[in-house]
Amino acid sequence: MKEVITLIKEQIQNLPIMFRVSKYQDKSDYQSHYLGIVWAYLYPIIQILIYWLVFGVGLKKGTSGSVDYLTWMVIGITPWFYMNSVTLDASKSIYQQVGMVSKMKFPVSVLPSIKILTNLSSFWAMLACSIILGYLKGGVLPNLYWIQWLYYFFAMICWLLAFGIFNSTVTILVRDYRIFLQSIMRVLFYMSGVLFNFETNAFPAFFVRFLQLNPFFYIVSGFRESMLGEAWFWQKPMLMLIFWLTVLFFLLVGSHLHYKFRARFVDYI
């Protein structure tokens, strides 16, 4: 637990630097492109249109209850795109920049967190689009449940921090891990309720309960329940407990591995 406290202190103390670096990375990543940072918003929109055409129109496999499928999908795919990008970017954050950081007074532990901040701009843009689309196409209006977006956003950041520090450290120790993680994230995309509404009578109850153990499923489902006004987060206490225990587990293990091997990161690379 001491290592977790140290990790959190490093994040808080270096917030100004993290914001500056994330702003610089936003510009540098797209400076050679004609459309520049517009691609950060355009690419997810193109992906959404493809999934909608394939699953919502073509195969007609998307089920969303009484809500328009495109609206239902966009609400869930918005946090997924963000979590997927942060997870993969954070996993290679230390590996790519540890050489530079080792020469500066800059804690390596903040590198995964910088990826959390770097991807926030596209997340806010997509969230705004999902709200507008929900109103225009699905007739979704603001409701009291929207307040709990604050909870699910906080839960999402905590999960990404814990999972990010774990993945970034293991990637240094086991080089093949990142390839394995990419494969796992592809599977989780279909198993996190992004395209299909598993919480219906069409799927076995034991299968749904198994999927609900997935932290990504918890966040995606939570954003939908908030926007569509379906349930409060405290109405599922067992799922909430499992989620936070999972966050704590990865935070404890990730922090321990990070501080145990941090002095030798350059040697491993």
Side-chain angles (χ1 to χ4, degrees):
M1 185 58 71
K2 182 180 178 181
E3 293 163 329
V4 173
I5 296 174
T6 303
L7 177 74
I8 295 175
K9 284 183 178 179
E10 288 184 348
Q11 311 304 306
I12 296 175
Q13 292 170 354
N14 291 276
L15 266 178
I17 298 177
M18 290 160 56
F19 275 107
R20 288 199 297 269
V21 174
S22 65
K23 186 178 180 180
Y24 168 78
Q25 287 188 351
D26 269 336
K27 295 179 179 179
S28 63
D29 288 343
Y30 299 97
Q31 65 179 355
S32 61
H33 298 75
Y34 287 113
L35 295 180
I37 200 172
V38 174
W39 279 111
Y41 314 113
L42 188 59
Y43 176 73
I45 293 174
I46 294 174
Q47 291 292 100
I48 288 173
L49 290 176
I50 292 173
Y51 292 132
W52 174 59
L53 289 173
V54 174
F55 294 97
V57 178
L59 299 178
K60 295 187 181 296
K61 294 291 185 179
T63 58
S64 55
S66 60
V67 183
D68 173 77
Y69 177 72
L70 179 60
T71 302
W72 181 89
M73 182 190 68
V74 170
I75 297 171
I77 211 170
T78 295
W80 168 261
F81 270 144
Y82 174 68
M83 290 188 290
N84 181 64
S85 296
V86 171
T87 299
L88 296 179
D89 289 348
S91 68
K92 59 182 180 180
S93 59
I94 297 179
Y95 172 77
Q96 289 181 333
Q97 302 181 56
V98 69
M100 176 191 70
V101 175
S102 63
K103 302 174 184 178
M104 305 167 57
K105 292 183 178 180
F106 193 74
V108 183
S109 65
V110 305
L111 292 178
S113 299
I114 290 175
K115 298 302 180 180
I116 296 177
L117 298 176
T118 303
N119 288 277
L120 269 180
S121 55
S122 59
F123 170 74
W124 294 128
M126 285 194 64
L127 184 60
C129 289
S130 68
I131 293 174
I132 295 172
L133 183 65
Y135 172 73
L136 295 178
K137 192 168 177 61
V140 179
L141 297 173
N143 57 77
L144 190 60
Y145 288 89
W146 285 22
I147 298 176
Q148 67 182 356
W149 265 346
L150 297 173
Y151 163 76
Y152 283 110
F153 178 77
F154 175 74
M156 180 173 65
I157 297 300
C158 290
W159 164 242
L160 292 175
L161 173 63
F163 202 39
I165 199 68
F166 174 84
N167 290 331
S168 61
T169 303
V170 177
T171 299
I172 297 290
L173 304 178
V174 183
R175 199 61 53 84
D176 295 339
Y177 176 75
R178 187 170 181 272
I179 300 176
F180 171 74
L181 180 64
Q182 289 176 325
S183 302
I184 291 297
M185 293 303 292
R186 292 191 187 101
V187 174
L188 288 177
F189 173 70
Y190 295 99
M191 304 299 288
S192 297
V194 178
L195 299 178
F196 308 108
N197 187 359
F198 292 108
E199 297 176 305
T200 64
N201 295 329
F203 296 91
F206 73 90
F207 178 67
V208 176
R209 284 195 291 270
F210 172 74
L211 293 180
Q212 288 174 333
L213 301 179
N214 170 12
F216 294 100
F217 190 102
Y218 180 79
I219 298 297
V220 169
S221 177
F223 269 83
R224 283 204 181 106
E225 291 175 351
S226 300
M227 186 166 184
L228 301 178
E230 295 179 347
W232 293 104
F233 67 88
W234 59 76
Q235 292 178 314
K236 298 180 178 179
M238 185 56 64
L239 293 180
M240 182 172 65
L241 177 62
I242 292 173
F243 171 81
W244 286 108
L245 287 176
T246 304
V247 172
L248 181 60
F249 170 79
F250 278 96
L251 194 58
L252 288 170
V253 176
S255 299
H256 175 71
L257 292 175
H258 179 84
Y259 288 108
K260 181 178 180 180
F261 295 101
R262 181 158 76 173
R264 289 180 282 168
F265 279 166
V266 176
D267 297 332
Y268 281 106
I269 294 177

